[in-house]
Amino acid sequence: MSMDDHEPDAVDAITAQWRRERPDLELEAMAVFGRLGRLMGIATARIETVFTAHGLQRGEFDVLAALRRSGAPYELNPSVLADTLMLSRAGMTGRIDRLEAAGLVRRIADREDRRAVRVALTDQGRALVDTVVVAHTENETAMLSVLSPTDRVALERISRTLLDGWAR
């Protein structure tokens, strides 16, 4: 289906109303951001469904995933975790508390500074994150399957360009 063959959607209706009322406005960006917002709402719900099916909230998965991808021995300082996930120290403490109560992480003494603590994946936490990350990546791949391989590459490039431009 080409861009000219698309079915009108709610964003088209909104921009048509604006075009009628304010023909002087440039509406291309409004249409793009309207669709991006709707896409993120749908994507977020679909992504969270995978996590909840495994008894996790997204933020809890994020902690487990950060620990898992840190490599053996799968442990990090809570401050490093918080920085990695762009989370406050208090928010991180709450997530760690929930994950520890579920037996997915444990707090251990830092080998170099006995006053400090590190957060480590338990065997149960590692098994769970390894299972969930497979379901998560399959889900995200399925969501993008409506695009051709060329369009997926273009979308990745465009989204990277936007992020690079906005981060300056």
Side-chain angles (χ1 to χ4, degrees):
M1 178 180 282
S2 75
M3 288 176 55
D4 297 333
D5 296 338
H6 71 274
E7 292 289 323
D9 63 9
V11 174
D12 289 322
I14 291 166
T15 56
Q17 290 169 335
W18 276 117
R19 197 169 288 110
R20 182 190 69 231
E21 295 298 316
R22 292 287 310 272
D24 59 307
L25 294 175
E26 172 52 55
L27 300 171
E28 182 181 43
M30 179 187 284
V32 168
F33 285 105
R35 287 191 181 90
L36 285 174
R38 289 167 187 261
L39 283 168
M40 280 311 300
I42 293 166
T44 297
R46 290 183 181 183
I47 289 167
E48 288 177 355
T49 296
V50 170
F51 300 140
T52 58
H54 292 89
L56 293 172
Q57 297 174 12
R58 178 171 195 138
E60 294 166 343
F61 170 80
D62 290 344
V63 172
L64 297 176
L67 289 166
R68 178 63 174 94
R69 67 178 185 263
S70 73
Y74 313 111
E75 60 185 55
L76 292 170
N77 175 291
S79 297
V80 170
L81 266 174
D83 292 344
T84 299
L85 301 176
M86 295 180 285
L87 195 64
S88 71
R89 304 299 192 256
M92 181 54 62
T93 297
R95 285 185 189 177
I96 294 168
D97 288 346
R98 288 189 302 275
L99 291 167
E100 188 173 39
L104 302 174
V105 301
R106 65 189 186 333
R107 287 177 170 98
I108 58 173
D110 189 304
R111 288 181 275 292
E112 295 176 19
D113 181 356
R114 302 298 279 174
R115 296 166 298 167
V117 67
R118 294 178 67 78
V119 179
L121 274 178
T122 63
D123 290 342
Q124 179 185 352
R126 182 174 173 197
L128 180 61
V129 73
D130 282 349
T131 297
V132 176
V133 76
V134 170
H136 176 53
T137 57
E138 288 173 351
N139 182 44
E140 289 183 328
T141 299
M143 285 190 289
L144 291 180
S145 69
V146 300
L147 298 174
S148 70
T150 301
D151 285 347
R152 288 192 299 270
V153 170
L155 180 59
E156 195 281 331
R157 180 185 52 75
I158 291 165
S159 60
R160 178 183 301 276
T161 299
L162 284 171
L163 284 172
D164 287 348
W166 294 350
R168 292 180 194 178

